[in-house]
Amino acid sequence: MSSRTSSSASEQLGFQVLNHLQVIYAEEGDEALLGLASELVEIMRLQQVGTIPLSHKNDWNEADVIMITYGDSLHQPGKRALTTLHQFLHEQCEGVINGVHVLPFFPYSSDDGFSVSDYYKVRASVGEWGDIKKLASEFRLMSDVVINHCSSESGWFQNFIKGEGVGHDYFYVANPDDDLSQVVRPRTTPLLRAVETAKGVKHVWCTFSHDQVDFDFRNTDVLKEFVKVVRFYLDNGVNIFRLDAVAFLWKEVGSSCLNLEQTHEIVRLLRVLIEFACPTAMIITETNIPSRENLSYFGNANEAHCVYNFSLPPLLLHALLTGQSFYLKQWMMSMPPAQDGTAYFNFIASHDGIGLRPVEGILPDDEVEKLTETMQAFGGHISWRALDNGVNKPYEINITLFEALKGTIEGEDALGVERFLCAHAIMLALEGIPGVYFQSLLGSLNDHERVAMTGSFRSINRHHWDYHALVELLGDDKSHYGRVFTAMKRLISIRTGQSAFHPNATQFTLHLGEQIFGFWRQGLNRRQSIFCLNNISDKPAVLLLSDLNLISTHQWSDLLSGNVFDDLHATVEIAPYQSIWLSNEK
């Protein structure tokens, strides 16, 4: 993001910070908030700034593709895991991947890193800060800020139990008699956990698990602590800040405790501080909630730079399993173009499962049931959440994407690889920045042994690989791993060379029947157009090129197959799960 010089930049920063604090801490006096604003500016080392970051500026382009991975998914004897990850990126993904999201690499006690016990350390089994800096010097680096909760084994929570020291007042304490009936939960465990402390029994708030204790941001010391964390990560090369589970941040008894105004205002405050410190840095909010609520985290291009496109994975999976694009198209037509300065973060697989809350109000219950039954038949699991009426509802599907797409609702078939690649061809072509999960880049299978070992359904898609064994598999074109990896790298390489695939390039949904899911992209310079045509069914599809209204003075060719289309009135047969990127520029 560019910036402009201003003699009043420091005044502007102070003014913005104070405005946000007045909304978050409305009951605090002006003098206290002025002091807090000064402290935050000092923590970020922004006492003297000479420029004001420009808004509505896109600091990304079509070349940006982020690989999502755990820092210890790859192992080789005698080397730190992050060193091996760096080796993989250079030896296997050179020129293909330019960003990497290293999932929580901190010491932790549960949830594969998302129950952080120390925010200022790198887990010894993964590496050290030098490894993080090395990655950041060569790739755009995304790190999690696990901002809603931390481990019950953390030093902060141990001080809470003792009643003294840093962190002793960082955690949200509630009364079991409070009216908590409206609180939205993503889990079925009890919300409150009774803890014996030096000051008696306290009931701490645990949105996710009893090992993950929620912070109390009513305490301004908690806000200051996380601003320190952000500054520390910036100093170590982090460029993209993923705010984990941020939608649950602010609590008010008697409310849903989800997406409250103070939560949004804290995100806006962090954006101001981060942009003044590093104009090219970004915030991405992780809010696995219904689509309309998720979109609210864009604000007016003054909140998150990116939001996860959470509805895409379940809707695309449903389309490919049923051969029907109706719900996918309906949703896509309802999605507003991201303003300049914001972008969608597209993904179809991640370290977590395929969330089902984002399709509430989009996919009917009977279609969700059809989807979950098929996933269980393919070896997957279903995680549940508790409703306020005591009923449990499917929350997410736990399965690898490759196994999820090994058939249709009619059962397994021989078109799994084609279906899997079609899913990624769609995702890579959509408006937004693509995130490709490491296990999907390889075509990983369900890891049932790891589920049995950890007791967590999510472990099914978190396989650990021996580096040399993996490289051997990837080099074998007879294995599905080799086929998938080679094809995925080719898809990404083609994608990153097209101006029409800029994350903010124009997108329109096409109406070509149920079998063909199509959309049109046009570059910001309006020179390149790409018609993205995808047969989402297991039957051949027929397309009349005249239905696309192609400009006859342009030469049209498929970027994926190389086929040239001279007769714009011809009939084209599209094979099952074939994708065509029909472009007027090669």
Side-chain angles (χ1 to χ4, degrees), residues 59-69 96-101 140 142 240 282 284 305-310 312-313 316 342-350 423-438 440-441 488-505 507 519 521 581:
D59 194 46
W60 43 78
N61 60 40
E62 60 274 12
D64 289 315
V65 177
I66 295 176
M67 186 178 81
I68 306 163
T69 183
V96 177
I97 299 293
N98 71 349
V100 59
H101 172 200
R140 193 158 199 185
M142 184 193 300
I240 306 174
M282 296 163 52
I284 177 169
H305 296 87
C306 293
V307 299
Y308 279 80
N309 222 340
F310 274 111
L312 177 62
L316 183 53
T342 66
Y344 291 107
F345 187 74
N346 295 325
F347 73 108
I348 48 177
S350 74
H424 283 91
I426 291 171
M427 187 269 284
L428 288 166
L430 287 171
E431 175 193 351
I433 301 170
V436 180
Y437 186 44
F438 171 70
S440 293
L441 192 62
M488 286 285 289
K489 288 201 295 182
R490 181 174 179 271
L491 270 176
I492 295 169
S493 295
I494 295 172
R495 188 251 186 220
T496 56
Q498 315 307 320
S499 64
F501 287 156
H502 185 286
N504 295 88
Q507 175 175 289
F519 50 96
R521 303 294 309 280
W581 288 348

Side-chain angles (χ1 to χ4, degrees), residues 120-138:
Y120 297 97
K121 291 182 179 178
V122 176
R123 195 162 66 252
S125 61
V126 175
E128 55 192 33
W129 282 113
D131 298 314
I132 294 296
K133 287 183 176 180
K134 186 175 182 180
L135 278 172
S137 70
E138 299 175 42

Side-chain angles (χ1 to χ4, degrees), residues 134-423:
K134 186 175 182 180
L135 278 172
S137 70
E138 299 175 42
F139 301 90
R140 193 158 199 185
L141 181 64
M142 184 193 300
S143 172
D144 293 273
V145 180
V146 185
I147 197 170
N148 179 71
H149 53 261
C150 76
S151 167
S152 64
E153 296 182 12
S154 68
W156 293 340
F157 192 70
Q158 295 309 304
N159 286 343
F160 169 81
I161 293 173
K162 290 186 291 185
E164 60 183 16
V166 176
H168 79 276
D169 54 354
Y170 279 12
F171 300 94
Y172 198 98
V173 176
N175 188 321
D177 295 329
D178 289 339
D179 179 11
L180 305 176
S181 60
Q182 295 183 55
V183 175
V184 174
R185 296 289 315 288
R187 299 290 186 270
T188 57
T189 53
L191 175 63
L192 302 183
R193 171 191 169 186
V195 179
E196 188 70 50
T197 77
K199 298 179 179 179
V201 175
K202 303 289 184 182
H203 292 85
V204 293
W205 192 289
C206 300
T207 298
F208 292 91
S209 79
H210 282 187
D211 184 46
Q212 294 166 298
V213 189
D214 285 34
F215 292 112
D216 185 357
F217 272 83
R218 295 174 301 179
N219 178 358
T220 59
D221 285 342
V222 176
L223 176 64
K224 287 187 286 186
E225 189 70 64
F226 273 95
V227 172
K228 290 177 187 175
V229 167
V230 165
R231 179 69 259 184
F232 183 72
Y233 292 176
L234 273 172
D235 291 341
N236 282 279
V238 173
N239 187 257
I240 306 174
F241 295 85
R242 178 185 182 271
L243 302 184
D244 177 66
V246 69
F248 301 93
L249 194 67
W250 195 272
K251 285 85 174 166
E252 283 186 1
V253 172
S255 76
S256 67
C257 299
L258 185 69
N259 307 318
L260 299 188
E261 177 56 30
Q262 293 91 334
T263 293
H264 284 281
E265 206 67 35
I266 287 173
V267 178
R268 295 179 192 124
L269 169 64
L270 291 175
R271 175 162 176 162
V272 167
L273 292 170
I274 288 171
E275 282 190 342
F276 269 90
C278 180
T280 61
M282 296 163 52
I283 286 176
I284 177 169
T285 48
E286 189 270 328
T287 49
N288 192 357
I289 50 181
S291 183
R292 184 184 297 270
E293 298 171 37
N294 186 38
L295 290 173
S296 70
Y297 283 86
F298 275 143
N300 185 26
N302 63 346
E303 207 162 323
H305 296 87
C306 293
V307 299
Y308 279 80
N309 222 340
F310 274 111
S311 299
L312 177 62
L315 287 172
L316 183 53
L317 179 62
H318 175 270
L320 289 164
L321 290 177
T322 62
Q324 300 291 311
S325 60
F326 174 79
Y327 297 107
L328 180 61
K329 282 193 295 191
Q330 287 288 105
W331 163 76
M332 196 152 119
M333 288 188 293
S334 73
M335 296 293 281
Q339 291 187 59
D340 283 339
T342 66
Y344 291 107
F345 187 74
N346 295 325
F347 73 108
I348 48 177
S350 74
H351 62 289
D352 287 340
I354 298 169
L356 295 174
R357 285 218 69 204
V359 292
E360 290 179 7
I362 301 173
L363 204 57
D365 288 345
D366 60 333
E367 295 295 331
V368 173
E369 184 177 359
K370 194 184 299 182
L371 188 60
T372 55
E373 287 177 353
T374 304
M375 292 300 93
Q376 288 174 304
F378 290 173
H381 302 281
I382 308 299
S383 296
W384 302 81
R385 71 182 183 95
L387 303 181
D388 57 10
N389 60 3
V391 174
N392 291 339
K393 190 171 183 178
Y395 176 70
E396 71 177 16
I397 300 164
N398 303 113
I399 193 170
T400 68
L401 187 63
F402 188 80
E403 297 258 37
L405 292 169
K406 66 183 179 181
T408 69
I409 57 172
E410 302 300 326
E412 293 185 41
D413 58 27
L415 294 169
V417 171
E418 291 80 2
R419 192 179 292 110
F420 180 81
L421 294 174
C422 178

